[in-house]
Amino acid sequence: MGNLLEIKNLRKSFGNHLVLDDISLAFPQGSATVVIGASGSGKSTLMRCINLLEELSDGQILLEDADISTYGINLDSVRGKIGSVFQAFNLFPHLTVLENITLAPQLVLKKGKAEATEQALSLLKRFGLEDKADAYPNLLSGGQQQRVAILRAIATEPKVLLLDEVTSALDPVLIAEVLALIAELKADGITMIISTHEMGFAKRIADSVIFLSDGKVCESGRPLQIFENPQTAELKNFLGALHEAGRL
Amino acid sequence: MTYSPSPLQLQREEAKRRASRRSTAIALLSTLIFGAVLTVIVVNAQGFSAVRESFFNWHYAQKAFPRIFDGILLNLRVLFIAEFFVLIFGLAIAIARTTTSPVLYPVRLVATIYTDIFRGMPLLLVLFLVGLGIPGLRLSFVPNSAVFLGTIALVLTYSAYVAEVIRAGIEGVNPTQRQAARALGLSHPQTLHHVVLPQAFRNVTPPLLNDLVSLQKDSGLISVLGAVDAIRAAGIETAQSFNFTPYVVAGGLFVLLTIPLTRYTDWLIRRQDRAQKAQGVF
């Protein structure tokens, strides 16, 4: 398996505050990588750097061996290849579920309306949301909204899907809905980078786990190794805290 | 699911009904008393019959009506043309003011200066400057008509107001919406067109319509340039009869003109309130 996405010596600072410090990572085609770490460890910033919503302070990001972090690159065409889903769903409130999903395929991939609609409806049907196609987002539950947001992201047929704490705003029942959808997409072979606090899910779905601490990759490896045999004091502390909070 | 309310709830509802009947009665009574007092004061005023004769004379009202009606038709024409261009220019200026690209800095600067000037200058002054100044240039390709120049002055002033309202709408759209659109690969113009502007307009429809109502009545100010609109027509009639009723007639027509849009605005605001309540705290 070749590397679909590669990060080399990435640094990101806000003013004098170094948020990501010399991050180098590789994401093989079809893999699911889970990023864990305490709040403020740089998980979200890492995600926002990958889809170029933040400008890098140093380093490189390669997508299919092409440098997408070059200054002056066409950001729109790169972002079309990277699907992003956010914690707060960010659905477009003035558009129906169907219109939310078909907007980007029509505008970015230049698909016809009929084709985009057909594709969106089959996605909605597959994930049991077909009866919500004509509903506006504010009438949906949080779990439904987040599932629609994920479908909206994959409708543009991205090379890689970024899921940034997509279940953090949901209750346990809704979390299960969303995680089931993500597991299905993983089975489809979509390359994913997931930041989450759901450790049980991370164990089940991850091909590899990355533990960020203070903006550095503190530890990384197979899920079993990370969760059962932590090496560093930081990871041991983090897992210990999760255990005490009953989340592990 | 049906259920029969408990005696406690029935009692509560009965008390609510009693309270509401009581407040209706109080409102009615206070309106009657207020109206009666006002009528007594006005009718017993020393000059009442003279005022009634010179402002509310049915004979002169009938006589002046056709001419004033023709005038109000001119106001309507001016109004529609002005509203059309005000919305276009207002939108363009608002977009110009919210761009961030360095290439567009001069555009942004011009748009800012424009709104500063025309929002601050009294409309009457703009009318005089445009209506008397432009003909003074003796440009052969500019029609020297009071209606044309008056409309330009209205458009100049109101575009500045409307631009500020639309700009507020654009800036009121949550930045995460822009971000989500950009993350999907939409370009900047696509994001503006499909995601930001539809939400912006929704947010500012009531204040926008308020500005248009205001433009409707201010269309009467083009009479100062000599255009024979409703106000000017009323002035001509008054000059002939020395009776002020024609002004009252013109005033009434302007009110009638603005009422549909005002009611529509109210209805729209109520509907938005309801929609937001349905959404809960968000």
Side-chain angles (χ1 to χ4, degrees):
Chain A
M1 262 197 310
N3 285 331
L4 178 76
L5 187 79
E6 221 178 322
I7 296 175
K8 287 183 177 170
N9 310 104
L10 168 65
R11 281 200 168 83
K12 174 68 192 173
S13 58
F14 294 105
N16 288 328
H17 182 50
L18 194 58
V19 182
L20 294 175
D21 187 5
D22 200 14
I23 305 265
S24 292
L25 293 167
F27 304 91
Q29 174 79 47
S31 65
T33 307
V34 170
V35 183
I36 59 171
S39 299
S41 59
K43 296 191 301 288
S44 284
T45 307
L46 177 63
M47 300 296 235
R48 293 171 57 80
C49 283
I50 296 174
N51 65 14
L52 307 178
L53 286 174
E54 296 286 353
E55 207 176 303
L56 312 189
S57 303
D58 202 349
Q60 269 186 316
I61 298 176
L62 308 177
L63 181 65
E64 295 181 312
D65 296 323
D67 187 348
I68 58 170
S69 52
T70 317
Y71 184 76
I73 197 170
N74 183 346
L75 294 177
D76 301 335
S77 71
V78 173
R79 289 203 190 105
K81 294 178 190 163
I82 302 173
S84 307
V85 184
F86 310 91
Q87 179 179 343
F89 328 139
N90 298 349
L91 292 175
F92 304 131
H94 62 297
L95 300 178
T96 64
V97 164
L98 187 64
E99 289 165 341
N100 261 282
I101 299 177
T102 56
L103 184 69
Q106 288 182 73
L107 294 175
V108 181
L109 304 179
K110 307 292 176 202
K111 285 189 180 177
K113 189 173 181 183
E115 192 194 349
T117 304
E118 194 185 325
Q119 183 207 16
L121 285 175
S122 80
L123 272 176
L124 287 170
K125 192 160 185 188
R126 177 172 168 199
F127 295 103
L129 289 162
E130 70 269 33
D131 56 327
K132 302 293 179 199
D134 296 318
Y136 283 91
N138 62 36
L139 295 174
L140 270 53
S141 76
Q144 288 166 340
Q145 289 194 44
Q146 192 57 291
R147 284 187 290 157
V148 170
I150 295 174
L151 297 185
R152 178 175 73 172
I154 63 171
T156 58
E157 296 160 16
K159 309 261 182 210
V160 53
L161 187 61
L162 304 182
L163 302 167
D164 189 10
E165 298 200 18
V166 290
T167 58
S168 298
L170 304 175
D171 73 42
V173 177
L174 302 181
I175 288 176
E177 285 177 6
V178 173
L179 296 185
L181 188 154
I182 297 173
E184 267 206 57
L185 296 180
K186 150 88 173 153
D188 285 356
I190 295 180
T191 309
M192 293 192 259
I193 306 174
I194 306 163
S195 82
T196 184
H197 292 297
E198 297 296 321
M199 296 304 152
F201 176 70
K203 265 189 220 173
R204 264 183 292 133
I205 200 170
D207 295 307
S208 67
V209 177
I210 290 158
F211 172 62
L212 285 186
S213 177
D214 276 334
K216 290 194 185 71
V217 178
C218 190
E219 240 180 276
S220 66
R222 316 283 301 172
L224 217 62
Q225 173 196 333
I226 295 286
F227 289 111
E228 308 300 335
N229 192 16
Q231 301 297 311
T232 57
E234 287 91 342
L235 182 54
K236 282 176 189 165
N237 283 339
F238 180 67
L239 294 175
L242 282 174
H243 200 76
E244 251 171 61
R247 299 194 65 161
L248 194 67
Chain B
M1 229 181 339
T2 55
Y3 65 94
S4 48
S6 68
L8 181 69
Q9 179 61 21
L10 289 173
Q11 209 178 3
R12 212 182 269 149
E13 280 167 10
E14 175 54 30
K16 236 194 236 172
R17 268 196 298 276
R18 260 202 314 275
S20 121
R21 272 200 300 270
R22 196 161 156 258
S23 39
T24 312
I26 292 176
L28 201 68
L29 190 69
S30 97
T31 309
L32 282 175
I33 293 175
F34 190 73
V37 169
L38 204 66
T39 311
V40 167
I41 291 176
V42 171
V43 170
N44 288 332
Q46 214 179 5
F48 174 67
S49 58
V51 165
R52 193 173 59 179
E53 181 51 33
S54 51
F55 283 89
F56 299 96
N57 186 306
W58 183 241
H59 168 70
Y60 288 115
Q62 277 176 314
K63 189 164 160 286
F65 187 79
R67 193 174 218 162
I68 296 174
F69 188 75
D70 284 346
I72 204 90
L73 291 182
L74 176 70
N75 285 107
L76 267 173
R77 271 206 305 280
V78 167
L79 180 66
F80 279 119
I81 294 169
E83 274 178 359
F84 177 75
F85 285 106
V86 161
L87 284 174
I88 289 179
F89 290 142
L91 178 60
I93 296 163
I95 291 174
R97 288 201 69 180
T98 48
T99 53
T100 48
S101 149
V103 183
L104 294 175
Y105 179 76
V107 178
R108 204 154 58 237
L109 185 71
V110 169
T112 308
I113 293 174
Y114 174 87
T115 40
D116 280 355
I117 291 178
F118 284 99
R119 224 155 47 117
M121 206 182 311
L123 176 57
L124 203 55
L125 217 66
V126 178
L127 274 162
F128 283 136
L129 292 178
V130 172
L132 307 175
I134 291 185
L137 291 173
R138 295 174 198 280
L139 297 167
S140 55
F141 55 89
V142 179
N144 193 359
S145 119
V147 176
F148 176 79
L149 295 168
T151 308
I152 287 187
L154 285 172
V155 170
L156 281 174
T157 297
Y158 272 89
S159 295
Y161 283 112
V162 165
E164 285 302 279
V165 170
I166 297 177
R167 182 169 77 111
I170 290 175
E171 284 171 357
V173 174
N174 198 322
T176 57
Q177 287 286 309
R178 226 179 254 263
Q179 226 170 64
R182 305 288 297 192
L184 283 169
L186 268 64
S187 68
H188 199 79
Q190 283 173 338
T191 303
L192 196 63
H193 175 182
H194 294 279
V195 176
V196 175
L197 285 182
Q199 297 185 55
F201 270 108
R202 230 160 254 233
N203 292 342
V204 297
T205 311
L208 205 58
L209 289 176
N210 187 43
D211 272 358
L212 293 186
V213 169
S214 174
L215 170 62
Q216 287 196 348
K217 71 180 167 52
D218 278 354
S219 74
L221 286 177
I222 62 166
S223 58
V224 299
L225 296 180
V228 187
D229 77 324
I231 295 182
R232 186 77 178 184
I236 293 169
E237 288 290 334
T238 299
Q240 286 169 0
S241 60
F242 299 107
N243 186 291
F244 292 104
T245 308
Y247 279 127
V248 176
V249 172
L253 285 177
F254 271 104
V255 171
L256 284 180
L257 203 65
T258 53
I259 282 178
L261 197 53
T262 315
R263 286 290 88 79
Y264 177 65
T265 311
D266 289 351
W267 176 80
L268 213 66
I269 293 173
R270 265 204 309 280
R271 204 186 60 164
Q272 271 185 359
D273 278 355
R274 270 206 302 275
Q276 261 153 22
K277 270 174 200 146
Q279 272 179 35
V281 185
F282 199 24

